[in-house]
């Protein structure tokens, strides 16, 4: 046991050390500790250092003491990227046994969709419309991560985006604020539980705010969004996650109204802290405090620290401007001790709440780590999550599922056998070796002899005559051709923007050659974003959009291909028809000229070369059965603002197999003081229907569902005409008129 050093160790036993007293209320422990801390130690609590792998540019810290010495000196409050029970324990030991006050450190890590058992990417998980499963997935991730010493993840990402060029679309919730809010809250609950056991960890709502609106989908780019859009489209998911009890929020890299989010008083102080009453603490994004200099908003590192803290931001991830300049800024009277205490108190609160003062090694338990990782139970959840994330976009002549045991399959595709491509950039502590490839999954299900495999293209999506000829040869021996097209999993995640989110030319060439065989071709598309499928849509009979599904990819795809699982997912992002159509999203505005205005069909909002509609709309996804919607009824055609509206719909499974359907309810506010989208999702139910079964569903809407926000964030409920729609996707709906008095 290391010797406890510093004044705490020397404190006379007669003095009551309240912050050390496990029985004292947390508030008292926090204020007692704050009284004992120097301003340098307080700055230390606001300093987060990278301790391991780099998930951002390396900071220039030549000449500084080693990180462990800085920790001993009380100058580090948390680390990111230090993993493993053993490693975190060793670092924690220095904090609690060798620093003056023995304040434990937090260990943060990007546990984005699993720690060791890797779940589908968050965008794929979103397509399941299964909030309970999403909560479970997060809980498994938290359980694994917590056993490796991690007590804080930088998730969930609550950024609404309409841009598949943005590599981080994979990490989010899709394009809808209502559904995105429910999902963000479910993810927070799964990660955090009540934060009072050893199996849950702190969540971090990111990136606050509006990072999903980066111009042209280019990472770290400019954002320019109006306050009306901010309140109505972008803020709801962050708010829902905060309301679900998220312990932390991360500043985003972008600017809002010309001011970087880290130094943006309107976002941080006025909205998050004041209006929403967020009680947790904020962490910057990786060096986003100092990057205010690059934005042209802060003059130097000292100014960057000043502007961030003045805006209400708190912990500094990796830019070290707070540790370097906060004490000086306080001495100069530019920042008050009260301001600093407010931020530090929140961080200390969570260290107490997590139980780290009383049991600092609580999360760093090697025995639990060994028992918890990659268990069969965790893999079962990952498989359930993966199969319910696969969106069936097309299935001409019911080519899928392949139920006959005598059918031979050709499986074509480099990625289909590449373990690494089952993962994206955010792999937590997953290892490619654990991944079940598509090839392995089909082999597990059907036996090796049932599958003819050929690569068909290279790792980068290019091809050549030899690869194509070999693929065609295996296809001739088969009854059905499965082709895994798309882009490498490595192209999904941070710093992976693509100007052309399309199926590579080489794969299109391959599909054309395979089509000539006259056999049915099924595209299994893997990518971390909705790719533009227009060029392949007519080359194949079926398209199963498989996203990036993680460890259980192959087993889940085999479940769907063989019909062991009937697909039930619906896309939460529109699939653009062409790159030039981006951004394309269902909840757009009507425009001044939505339809032809003259007899010749001219002068309206359109492209001359492509349709306005996406190739596949928001909410769309097929099943191996069919559903019929009928009898949409409203409890009344006219309601008062305080009334509840009951909406009923009958849904029948008209096919031959059991299935699950996501029934979606949208509204349109026809005329308002600010324009409203042509459709807005307001409710949904995912229901199971046996073959031939009919169910009547009931939804209740209140004034809240019919209201919107003005530019100041005030909710408005305005009388007038509305439309209510119900259907199986955002396009194919039944509708009724409603008047709000
Ligand atoms: C930068 C990313 O934007 C953020 O989401 C992530 O949590 C941090 N790096 C830490 O890796």
């Amino acid at each position: 046991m290391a010797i406890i050093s510093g004044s705490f160790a020397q404190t006379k036993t007669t003095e009551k050390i309240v912050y050390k007293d496990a029985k004292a209320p947390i508030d008292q422990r926090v204020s007692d500790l704050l009284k004992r801390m120097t301003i340098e130690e307080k700055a230390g609590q606001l300093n987060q250092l990278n301790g391991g792998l780099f998930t951002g540019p390396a900071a220039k810290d030549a000449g500084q003491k080693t990180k462990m010495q800085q920790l001993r000196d009380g100058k580090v409050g948390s680390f990111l990227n230090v993993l493993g029970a053993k490693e975190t324990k060793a670092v924690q030991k220095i904090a609690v046994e060798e620093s003056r006050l023995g304040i434990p450190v937090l260990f943060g890590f990007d546990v984005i969709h699993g720690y060791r058992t890797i779940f589908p990417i968050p965008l794929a998980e979103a397509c399941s419309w299964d909030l309970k499963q999403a909560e479970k997935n997060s809980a498994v991730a938290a359980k694994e991560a917590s056993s490796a010493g991690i007590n804080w993840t930088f998730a969930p990402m609550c950024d609404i985006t309409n841009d598949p060029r943005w590599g981080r679309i994979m990490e989010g919730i899709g394009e809808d604020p209502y559904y995105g809010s429910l999902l963000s809250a479910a993810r927070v609950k799964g990660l955090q539980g009540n934060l009072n056991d050893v199996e849950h960890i702190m969540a971090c709502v990111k990136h606050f705010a509006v990072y999903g609106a980066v111009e042209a989908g280019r990472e770290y780019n400019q954002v320019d969004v109006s306050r009306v859009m901010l309140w109505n489209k972008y803020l709801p998911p962050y708010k829902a996650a905060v309301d679900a009890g998220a312990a932390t929020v991360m500043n985003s890299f972008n600017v809002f109204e010309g001011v970087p989010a880290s130094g943006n008083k309107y976002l941080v102080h006025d909205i998050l802290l004041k209006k929403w009453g967020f009680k947790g603490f904020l962490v910057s994004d990786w060096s986003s405090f100092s990057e205010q200099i690059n934005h042209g908003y802060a003059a130097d590192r000292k100014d960057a620290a000043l502007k961030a803290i003045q805006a209400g931001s708190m912990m500094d991830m990796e830019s070290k401007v707070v540790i370097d300049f906060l004490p000086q800024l306080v001495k100069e009277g530019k920042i008050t001790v009260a301001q600093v205490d407010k931020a530090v108190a929140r961080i200390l609160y969570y260290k107490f709440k997590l139980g780290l003062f009383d049991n600092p090694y609580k999360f760093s338990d090697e025995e639990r780590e060994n028992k918890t990782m990659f268990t069969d139970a965790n893999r079962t959840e990952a498989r359930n999550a993966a199969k319910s994330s696969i969106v069936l976009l097309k299935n001409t002549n019911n080519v899928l599922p392949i139920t006959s045991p005598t059918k031979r399959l050709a499986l074509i595709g480099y990625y289909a056998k590449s373990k690494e491509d089952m993962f994206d950039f955010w792999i937590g502590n997953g290892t490619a070796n654990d991944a079940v490839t598509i090839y392995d999954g089909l082999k597990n299900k059907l036996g090796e002899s049932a599958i003819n495999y050929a690569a068909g293209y290279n790792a980068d999506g290019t091809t050549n005559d030899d690869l194509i000829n070999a693929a065609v040869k295996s296809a001739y021996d088969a009854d059905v051709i499965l082709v895994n097209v798309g882009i490498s999993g490595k192209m999904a995640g941070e710093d992976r923007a693509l100007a052309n989110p399309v199926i590579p030319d080489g794969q299109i060439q391959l599909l054309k050659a395979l089509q000539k065989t006259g056999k049915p071709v099924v595209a299994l598309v893997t990518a971390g974003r909705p790719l533009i499928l227009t060029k392949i849509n007519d080359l194949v009979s079926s398209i199963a959009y498989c996203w990036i599904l993680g460890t259980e990819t192959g087993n889940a795809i085999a479940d769907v291909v063989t019909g062991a699982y009937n697909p039930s997912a619906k896309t939460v992002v529109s699939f653009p028809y062409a790159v030039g159509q981006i951004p394309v999203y269902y909840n757009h505005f009507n425009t001044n000229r939505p339809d032809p205005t003259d007899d010749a069909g001219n002068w309206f909002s359109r492209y001359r070369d492509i349709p306005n509609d996406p190739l596949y709309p928001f909410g769309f996804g097929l099943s191996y059965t069919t559903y019929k919607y009928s009898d949409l009824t409203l409890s009344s055609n006219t309601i008062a603002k305080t009334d509840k509206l009951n909406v009923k719909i009958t849904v029948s499974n008209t096919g031959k197999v059991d299935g699950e359907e996501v029934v979606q309810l949208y509204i349109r506010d026809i005329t308002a003081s600010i324009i409203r989208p042509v459709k807005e999702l307001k409710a949904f139910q995912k229901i199971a229907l046996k073959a031939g079964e009919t169910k009547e569903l009931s939804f209740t809407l209140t004034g809240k569902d019919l209201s919107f926000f003005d530019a100041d964030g005030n909710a408005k409920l305005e009388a007038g005409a509305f439309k209510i729609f119900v259907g199986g996707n955002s396009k194919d709906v039944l509708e009724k008129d409603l008047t709000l008095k």
Side-chain angles (χ1 to χ4, degrees):
M1 180 68 128
I3 310 262
I4 299 177
S5 64
S7 66
F8 164 57
Q10 291 146 17
T11 310
K12 299 264 170 341
T13 45
T14 47
E15 192 200 341
K16 195 169 175 222
I17 303 167
V18 178
Y19 85 89
K20 292 281 288 172
D21 177 2
K23 292 204 185 84
I26 293 184
D27 290 353
Q28 283 177 25
R29 298 178 83 181
V30 169
S31 53
D32 177 68
L33 181 53
L34 274 175
K35 277 187 221 134
R36 297 168 192 270
M37 293 170 79
T38 64
I39 190 67
E40 285 76 16
E41 284 165 337
K42 289 175 182 173
Q45 289 306 304
L46 299 175
N47 187 31
Q48 180 178 65
L49 295 184
N50 179 44
L53 54 129
F54 280 82
T55 49
K60 300 174 189 74
D61 60 357
Q64 282 191 350
K65 292 181 181 171
T66 65
K67 287 178 184 166
M68 290 312 118
Q69 189 53 45
Q70 293 174 58
L71 180 61
R72 244 174 236 117
D73 293 346
K75 293 197 164 164
V76 187
S78 70
F79 281 102
L80 76 154
N81 299 340
V82 178
L83 310 181
K86 199 164 161 215
E87 293 75 1
T88 51
K89 193 169 186 175
V91 175
Q92 191 67 288
K93 203 164 182 245
I94 295 175
V96 298
E97 297 187 13
E98 298 181 36
S99 74
R100 190 179 76 89
L101 292 167
I103 304 175
V105 279
L106 295 170
F107 294 103
F109 185 49
D110 291 291
V111 184
I112 304 299
H113 52 112
Y115 180 79
R116 172 73 191 274
T117 308
I118 304 303
F119 283 74
I121 56 169
L123 183 65
E125 177 191 81
C127 294
S128 73
W129 297 70
D130 186 340
L131 299 174
K132 283 209 179 86
Q133 183 69 49
E135 192 176 326
K136 267 195 226 164
N137 302 344
S138 290
V140 172
K143 193 171 173 182
E144 289 192 347
S146 64
S147 75
I150 305 301
N151 40 41
W152 182 15
T153 174
F154 305 123
M157 187 181 104
C158 306
D159 304 323
I160 293 281
T161 188
N162 298 134
D163 207 323
R165 291 170 297 187
W166 192 40
R168 305 194 74 172
I169 190 172
M170 52 94 18
E171 212 177 320
I173 46 182
E175 70 192 34
D176 183 70
Y178 167 80
Y179 178 61
S181 297
L182 295 176
L183 185 58
S184 298
R187 287 173 174 167
V188 168
K189 283 185 203 144
L191 289 167
Q192 291 199 161
N194 295 320
L195 274 189
N196 55 7
D197 58 28
V198 79
E199 296 189 344
H200 291 88
I201 61 179
M202 295 193 294
C204 183
V205 175
K206 69 189 191 186
H207 305 85
F208 197 72
V210 220
Y211 193 30
V214 277
E215 276 182 3
R218 207 179 76 212
E219 193 76 278
Y220 318 121
N221 203 7
Q222 169 70 11
V223 162
D224 193 2
V225 158
S226 70
R227 287 199 186 200
V228 162
M229 293 308 275
L230 173 79
W231 281 100
N232 287 288
K233 175 167 174 162
Y234 292 99
L235 288 183
Y238 307 111
K239 166 86 162 56
V242 163
D243 289 347
T248 74
V249 170
M250 184 183 287
N251 302 113
S252 54
F253 285 129
N254 55 279
V255 300
F256 178 72
E257 295 182 332
V259 177
S262 296
N264 196 307
K265 192 173 160 293
Y266 179 62
L267 290 181
V268 176
H269 176 269
D270 299 356
I271 297 177
L272 182 65
L273 299 176
K274 218 166 144 218
K275 195 169 169 101
W276 293 357
F278 172 60
K279 296 280 181 287
F281 67 89
L282 279 119
V283 61
S284 76
D285 202 344
W286 184 295
S287 64
S288 68
F289 282 5
S290 65
E291 286 171 13
Q292 292 180 98
I293 304 168
N294 300 344
H295 274 301
Y297 182 67
D300 51 29
R301 296 181 72 241
K302 184 175 171 188
D303 194 31
L306 176 66
K307 290 194 159 128
I309 299 295
Q310 272 179 339
S313 292
M314 298 173 188
M315 188 184 282
D316 176 1
M317 181 193 288
E318 262 295 287
S319 73
K320 299 171 193 149
V321 294
V322 168
I323 192 69
D324 287 351
F325 296 102
L326 187 77
Q328 205 178 324
L329 288 164
V330 169
K331 274 179 205 117
E332 289 167 7
K334 295 192 172 123
I335 289 174
T336 65
V337 173
Q339 263 174 300
V340 176
D341 282 0
K342 219 167 143 183
V344 175
R346 288 166 179 243
I347 295 162
L348 294 176
Y349 172 86
Y350 276 100
K351 292 186 175 183
F352 282 111
K353 165 98 180 133
L354 288 169
L356 292 174
F357 277 89
D358 309 319
N359 184 2
Y361 309 114
K362 166 178 169 183
F363 294 100
S364 307
D365 175 345
E366 281 179 78
E367 201 188 318
R368 188 167 80 89
E369 184 179 33
N370 285 337
K371 271 198 228 141
T372 309
M373 292 302 164
F374 204 55
T375 60
D376 286 349
N378 296 356
R379 292 186 64 182
T380 301
E381 290 304 347
R383 183 169 177 166
N384 288 341
K387 64 191 185 192
S388 57
S389 301
I390 298 169
V391 186
L392 184 66
L393 292 174
K394 181 177 179 189
N395 197 19
T396 310
N397 299 329
N398 297 325
V399 168
L400 288 179
I402 300 158
T403 45
S404 158
T406 55
K407 279 205 173 153
R408 277 190 63 78
L409 302 181
L411 175 65
I412 316 290
Y414 171 88
Y415 303 138
K417 238 185 177 180
S418 157
K419 282 180 176 276
E420 275 122 37
D421 287 298
M422 306 300 114
F423 292 170
D424 61 304
F425 165 69
W426 293 118
I427 57 166
N429 201 29
T431 63
N433 225 7
D434 292 340
V436 180
T437 63
I438 302 178
Y439 176 79
D440 289 337
L442 287 168
K443 195 179 78 182
N444 293 345
K445 196 113 197 159
L446 304 168
E448 195 159 13
S449 57
I451 307 156
N452 285 343
Y453 173 81
Y457 56 85
N458 299 305
D460 62 0
T462 57
T463 192
N464 57 45
D465 288 347
D466 290 346
L467 285 168
I468 291 187
N469 291 338
V472 169
K473 190 161 174 283
S474 359
Y476 271 120
D477 288 341
D479 302 301
V480 181
I481 311 168
L482 303 177
V483 195
N484 176 203
V485 291
I487 51 178
S488 166
K490 294 179 206 100
M491 274 300 122
E494 185 176 349
D495 188 19
R496 275 138 179 91
L498 288 176
N500 288 302
V502 296
I503 300 286
D505 285 345
Q507 295 178 0
I508 292 172
Q509 224 182 307
L510 170 70
L511 285 173
K512 283 183 177 159
L514 293 170
Q515 190 198 27
K516 286 197 191 123
T517 62
K519 316 226 170 184
V521 179
V522 173
L524 304 170
V525 190
T526 48
R529 58 187 97 214
L531 293 174
I532 292 155
L533 302 174
T534 312
K535 281 191 181 164
I536 70 158
N537 208 42
D538 294 334
L539 294 177
V540 297
S541 308
S542 306
I543 303 177
Y545 212 84
C546 304
W547 309 104
I548 305 288
L549 295 174
T551 311
E552 291 296 318
T553 301
N555 289 332
I557 290 177
D559 286 339
V560 165
V561 163
T562 58
Y565 180 77
N566 183 0
S568 65
K570 306 251 186 180
T571 182
V572 295
V573 280
S574 304
F575 278 79
Y577 188 93
V579 177
Q581 209 186 37
I582 299 171
V584 60
Y585 46 97
Y586 89 93
N587 42 3
H588 60 81
F589 297 102
N590 201 35
T591 80
N592 55 323
R593 292 196 186 164
D595 302 312
T597 49
D598 71 6
D599 290 345
N602 287 320
W603 317 118
F604 67 103
S605 178
R606 62 169 156 177
Y607 295 104
R608 291 290 187 153
D609 53 347
I610 57 165
N612 283 1
D613 282 345
L615 189 65
Y616 293 106
F618 175 87
F620 181 83
L622 300 171
S623 157
Y624 294 149
T625 188
T626 45
Y627 300 102
K628 185 172 164 270
Y629 285 69
S630 61
D631 303 321
L632 173 63
T633 51
L634 307 187
S635 50
S636 172
N637 294 332
T638 305
I639 58 165
K641 289 182 180 173
T642 51
D643 285 350
K644 284 187 174 154
L645 177 75
N646 189 255
V647 181
K648 285 202 160 74
I649 185 84
T650 300
V651 187
S652 307
N653 179 342
T654 48
K656 291 194 176 65
V657 287
D658 301 349
E660 287 173 284
E661 170 71 337
V662 182
V663 181
Q664 302 155 45
L665 185 152
Y666 299 85
I667 67 150
R668 177 168 173 192
D669 184 349
I670 308 284
T671 311
S673 52
I674 53 168
I675 60 165
R676 304 301 307 134
V678 295
K679 274 193 192 105
E680 293 177 80
L681 183 75
K682 289 294 169 184
F684 74 92
Q685 289 180 38
K686 185 166 188 176
I687 54 159
L689 280 177
K690 298 216 171 302
E693 189 182 356
T694 292
K695 272 188 187 162
E696 189 188 57
L697 306 187
S698 172
F699 295 89
T700 305
L701 297 183
T702 65
K704 187 164 176 268
D705 300 307
L706 303 177
S707 66
F708 57 87
F709 291 108
D710 67 12
D712 296 321
N714 301 313
K716 296 266 172 193
L717 179 60
E718 294 179 349
F722 287 80
K723 276 197 186 292
I724 306 291
F725 313 93
V726 181
N729 64 69
S730 61
K731 194 160 178 246
D732 305 312
V733 288
L734 301 177
E735 65 175 78
K736 285 274 182 217
D737 293 321
L738 173 75
T739 304
L740 183 69
K741 286 187 297 201

